[in-house]
Amino acid sequence: MERLIRPLNIDNYIISPGGRFDSVRPGPNGLIRHQANDYPVQIGLPIYASNTGFLYDITNSSCGIGVKIMGDKQISNFQTAYCHLSAIKPEILKELNTTGVYEVNQGEIIGFTGNTGNSTGPHLHYKIRDVSTGIPLDPEKQNYKRFNYAGPNWFGIFFGLFSVLALIHAYNDEKRRAKK
């Protein structure tokens, strides 16, 4: 049986305050349990399919732009959902508009992080369900397999370069102040 991979190519998965699995929050008819984790990230990061299966568009007012992957029980016993995307990958969107479903492979880029719908800032709302029982699963309690994500992590590269440039700038400023 297929093991899941993480949906983002980042080092630290930080969960938004109040966005933790099973936290209690206000809903339309009273308090509800949050059955997902909210990971704050910048807009535009690629989102990878955590499992193999059939991808459906679940774009709506509260989710914003979103997709759901229903695993085939012979390969993956998981259903995963991703909300608040800035965009769905264009090739996938074209197929969804034609047939309503897209067959996706684990590790394939499916969309990009965003801030759409009923969002509290840029983040990925990531949900996992066991297909056979329908029970929501805590994303942070999964035994994810290691995965070689396609392409470099541009955010990490850019942030690292920005940090180096900021240190050089601070060093040069300190040298100028010392000369005065």
Side-chain angles (χ1 to χ4, degrees):
M1 194 57 71
E2 181 180 58
R3 282 179 36 210
L4 296 171
I5 65 166
R6 291 239 184 218
L8 297 167
N9 183 15
I10 59 175
D11 293 328
N12 294 321
Y13 276 74
I14 298 167
I15 302 170
S16 299
R20 184 168 296 284
F21 180 84
D22 226 17
S23 60
V24 178
R25 49 174 43 180
N29 300 321
L31 295 177
I32 58 169
R33 293 207 173 271
H34 188 242
Q35 301 297 304
N37 276 342
D38 292 339
Y39 300 107
V41 291
Q42 75 276 8
I43 294 172
L45 282 180
I47 299 170
Y48 297 85
S50 291
N51 59 314
T52 298
F54 298 96
L55 184 143
Y56 301 90
D57 189 351
I58 58 169
T59 298
N60 66 39
S61 60
S62 64
C63 181
I65 299 171
V67 295
K68 171 177 68 175
I69 300 172
M70 180 65 83
D72 176 347
K73 291 183 186 178
Q74 295 174 347
I75 299 171
S76 174
N77 197 39
F78 298 103
Q79 173 188 314
T80 54
Y82 316 77
C83 289
H84 308 303
L85 283 59
S86 61
I88 298 170
K89 187 176 167 186
E91 303 89 270
I92 294 174
L93 191 57
K94 181 179 177 185
E95 185 70 22
L96 288 174
N97 288 335
T98 305
T99 65
V101 65
Y102 177 83
E103 194 167 346
V104 67
N105 292 311
Q106 183 180 61
E108 186 176 343
I109 293 175
I110 56 175
F112 302 91
T113 56
N115 188 26
T116 60
N118 187 13
S119 181
T120 56
H123 71 280
L124 174 63
H125 174 92
Y126 177 58
K127 181 186 277 189
I128 304 170
R129 282 189 189 276
D130 182 309
V131 171
S132 58
T133 64
I135 295 174
L137 304 171
D138 184 345
E140 289 305 304
K141 292 187 178 172
Q142 299 309 303
N143 182 18
Y144 295 99
K145 72 178 181 182
R146 293 183 59 80
F147 182 74
N148 185 18
Y149 294 92
N153 180 350
W154 289 109
F155 176 72
I157 292 168
F158 176 75
F159 186 71
L161 178 62
F162 178 76
S163 298
V164 169
L165 292 174
L167 287 171
I168 291 169
H169 182 71
Y171 174 77
N172 288 335
D173 278 354
E174 199 58 37
K175 278 180 34 180
R176 277 184 285 231
R177 279 191 213 117
K179 286 182 181 180
K180 291 182 180 178

